[in-house]
Amino acid sequence: MSPADVLRFAVRRMFWAHMPVIFLLLLASSVTAQLPSGFSGLCAIAAFAWVVLALGDWITAELRADRLS
């Protein structure tokens, strides 16, 4: 697998796996913002955690591509 393949798969994972989940979590957070249950805050924290997960996935792909080159 070439470094370009690794980065292409990482971009595909970013746009087809991570971004829709983050969007849905932020959408749920904004829709439930007026509820007193705290679900909005939980969704916002989960979205932030998913952003950190996606960033870690991207950095791992960059390091793997660097090792392969």
Side-chain angles (χ1 to χ4, degrees), residues 44-65:
I45 290 170
F48 176 72
W50 205 283
V51 167
V52 171
L53 175 94
L55 182 62
D57 186 30
W58 181 258
I59 291 170
T60 303
E62 286 278 339
L63 290 172
R64 184 172 180 206

Side-chain angles (χ1 to χ4, degrees), residues 12-36:
R12 188 177 300 158
R13 267 194 318 270
M14 187 70 69
F15 285 104
W16 291 104
H18 295 304
M19 287 209 180
V21 172
I22 293 168
F23 172 75
L24 290 175
L25 284 169
L26 290 176
L27 181 68
S29 177
S30 65
V31 167
T32 60
Q34 297 297 319
L35 297 177

